[in-house]
Amino acid sequence: MTDRRTFIKHTAWGSALFLLPSFRLLQPAPGQTGRKDVLPLDGRWHFYMDPDKEGSADIPLNTGNTLKLPGSLQSQGFGNDVSADTRWWNGKLKDIWRTSPVYERYRLDGNVKIYEFLQPKKHYLGAAWYIKEFEIPRYWKDKRIVLFLERVHWESTVFINEREIGSRMYLGVPHEYDLTGAIKEGMNRLMVRVNNSRIVDVGDMPHSISEQTQGTWNGIVGRVELRATDKVWIDQVQVYPGIAEKKIDIEL
């Protein structure tokens, strides 16, 4: 079966409206506590910074430091101190800041102050590896298992038990990975490589990525969890009304 979509068409208004509440009952809101189909992964993670992108999936678990996810490494005190030579998203600061005697004292180590945007306490551009071990519940056997990362800044690559699953590069929507074929019984090792460097040239001041408003943080925020569904599941429902024809097309 190459296409997971099923198309259902109803020409009567009443039958279509009757079906919609039924679909909603099959998809409870994600992230609810106490759910047996969600395994939160928030808490302490091992991590290490890899600015030269030389790391690999066989990194020992206790390599580097630990931090809390969801979160960013800079907000937890990790990264590089800001200096006159800091490599910002847009490159170096304006020449007037670098050359004018007015700003000379603000270019000195320990007293660096810039005026182009809000100055972070720590700065980091590059890859960072986040590592965690987990054990899936026994009643998840024969389930479809998905890793849900609500917001990543901004490219992620996921490995399970040193096997690469894939990559995502989204800013405004979650990164999701189907781990079903890679999960094993007992302990599993999850690695998420996050890269917040200038992967794609999107202009000089892309506020959703650069220091101007968003900040070049590296990490994962929002929900970080595993989700289990049956092997056959409802992914989404789209409803297309045809008022003139008095019908509703439902795409499942």
Side-chain angles (χ1 to χ4, degrees), residues 26-229:
L26 292 171
Q27 291 197 17
Q32 296 176 353
T33 57
R35 286 178 52 184
K36 292 185 178 181
D37 58 348
V38 173
L39 177 64
L41 297 177
D42 53 304
R44 304 301 300 186
W45 287 59
H46 291 270
F47 89 100
Y48 86 99
M49 293 178 289
D50 183 20
D52 298 322
K53 304 176 183 66
E54 297 176 343
S56 62
D58 58 356
I59 306 163
L61 179 65
N62 58 358
T63 296
N65 299 290
T66 64
L67 50 57
K68 288 185 178 180
L69 289 182
S72 71
L73 60 89
Q74 291 95 327
S75 66
Q76 297 178 59
F78 300 102
N80 304 312
D81 292 331
V82 175
S83 72
D85 298 319
T86 293
R87 179 173 59 91
W88 303 102
W89 174 274
N90 295 332
K92 296 180 179 180
L93 300 175
K94 293 178 181 177
D95 287 341
I96 188 173
W97 184 88
R98 301 186 58 81
T99 59
S100 173
V102 175
Y103 301 106
E104 182 176 0
R105 60 175 175 168
Y106 300 122
R107 297 191 294 264
L108 300 176
D109 289 343
N111 192 49
V112 173
K113 293 180 175 63
I114 59 178
Y115 65 86
E116 292 191 26
F117 42 77
L118 294 176
Q119 180 174 321
K121 292 183 178 180
K122 293 288 185 178
H123 181 266
Y124 181 75
L125 286 177
W129 294 74
Y130 300 87
I131 312 166
K132 191 177 186 67
E133 289 187 334
F134 66 90
E135 185 173 6
I136 61 171
R138 291 185 177 179
Y139 52 82
W140 278 18
K141 185 179 180 181
D142 299 325
K143 294 286 187 178
R144 168 181 173 262
I145 301 174
V146 175
L147 173 65
F148 181 90
L149 309 174
E150 187 166 5
R151 190 176 181 204
V152 179
H153 197 230
W154 60 317
E155 179 192 56
S156 68
T157 305
V158 166
F159 300 81
I160 281 288
N161 303 318
E162 302 184 9
R163 170 182 168 183
E164 182 172 348
I165 302 301
S167 295
R168 306 284 186 271
M169 189 168 59
Y170 312 137
L171 277 172
V173 296
H175 293 198
E176 296 184 78
Y177 294 88
D178 191 329
L179 309 181
T180 307
I183 293 288
K184 64 181 182 180
E185 293 185 9
M187 295 301 297
N188 290 268
R189 173 188 170 95
L190 170 64
M191 303 182 70
V192 183
R193 177 182 178 270
V194 176
N195 187 1
N196 69 328
S197 61
R198 192 165 182 151
I199 308 164
V200 178
D201 186 355
V202 290
D204 288 338
M205 291 189 293
H207 289 186
S208 62
I209 307 171
S210 68
E211 293 89 4
Q212 270 64 29
T213 56
Q214 174 65 37
T216 51
W217 56 276
N218 185 303
I220 307 168
V221 298
R223 294 193 297 273
V224 182
E225 60 194 22
L226 295 173
R227 298 177 175 182
T229 72

